[in-house]
Amino acid sequence: MNMTTQHDNTTQAALAIIAASPATSAWKRGVKAYALEMVEELADQLDSTYSPEKLLNGATDWHAYSCGGNALIYNSDIAERLCSPSELKRTKNGENQPSKTETWLDVQARALRQAARLIANAYRRAERQAPALATERPGDHAAALADEWGCSYSDALVYCNCD
């Protein structure tokens, strides 16, 4: 298996893990949507290996990413993605700021940070679940033992407890 295929498989597994993650609130659904978009964008790159720096797409942090136009740019779109219907009504679909201390871009930056954590956790889980390389599979070890000991492959499998 070449490294590109392995990275593609890890990315697909990470996407599946993120897609299967529970999202019971509007906020969590929005964070999940950001995470899925960022992983898909990462997968479209020539070198699709995961790293937190690649997710930032040249920005210094998630606030710079949010303000730099790498994510949603209109207050109404950010509010629609992250707010419940009652919050949308309270903020008049994003026309009003979400709070006295935050702008919609600040709120989006906070959601993007959480999405990045979700992505990092998904990639860690995907790498743990990745199939072993050909040289690490028990059947390959049994074949090597069969050659080394001069016994049958099935006897070597029994020895390896892999029958």
Side-chain angles (χ1 to χ4, degrees), residues 12-84:
Q12 292 306 314
L15 276 169
I17 290 167
I18 294 167
S21 66
T24 55
S25 67
W27 178 264
K28 288 182 180 179
R29 283 189 296 274
V31 167
K32 185 175 172 177
Y34 282 124
L36 290 170
E37 287 173 357
M38 287 191 291
V39 172
E40 288 171 356
E41 189 175 303
L42 181 68
D44 290 341
Q45 295 176 6
L46 230 37
D47 177 16
S48 63
T49 56
Y50 164 76
S51 77
E53 295 79 26
K54 283 188 181 178
L55 287 180
L56 282 168
N57 197 25
T60 56
D61 59 20
W62 291 110
H63 191 268
Y65 183 96
S66 179
C67 293
N70 288 306
L72 300 175
I73 57 173
Y74 295 111
N75 291 347
S76 59
D77 293 338
I78 297 168
E80 187 177 315
R81 175 164 290 182
L82 296 171
C83 293
S84 66

Side-chain angles (χ1 to χ4, degrees), residues 19 21 35 56 59 81 83 86 96 98 104 113 115 117 122 127 130 134 138 163:
S21 66
L56 282 168
R81 175 164 290 182
C83 293
S86 63
N96 298 337
W104 285 109
R113 266 191 303 279
R117 277 192 299 246
E127 287 169 357
D163 56 341

Side-chain angles (χ1 to χ4, degrees), residues 95-141:
E95 287 179 32
N96 298 337
Q97 291 302 322
S99 71
K100 291 179 183 179
T101 59
E102 280 187 313
T103 66
W104 285 109
L105 291 174
D106 296 333
V107 170
Q108 178 173 250
R110 196 162 30 96
L112 290 166
R113 266 191 303 279
Q114 290 181 15
R117 277 192 299 246
L118 180 61
I119 292 167
N121 291 337
Y123 268 91
R124 274 195 294 277
R125 282 185 57 199
E127 287 169 357
R128 282 195 309 263
Q129 296 171 359
L133 296 174
T135 57
E136 298 172 359
R137 291 186 298 212
D140 292 339
H141 183 65

Side-chain angles (χ1 to χ4, degrees), residues 1-11 46-49:
M1 176 185 299
N2 66 31
M3 292 305 281
T4 303
T5 305
Q6 188 172 0
H7 291 307
D8 292 344
N9 290 342
T10 303
T11 298
L46 230 37
D47 177 16
S48 63
T49 56

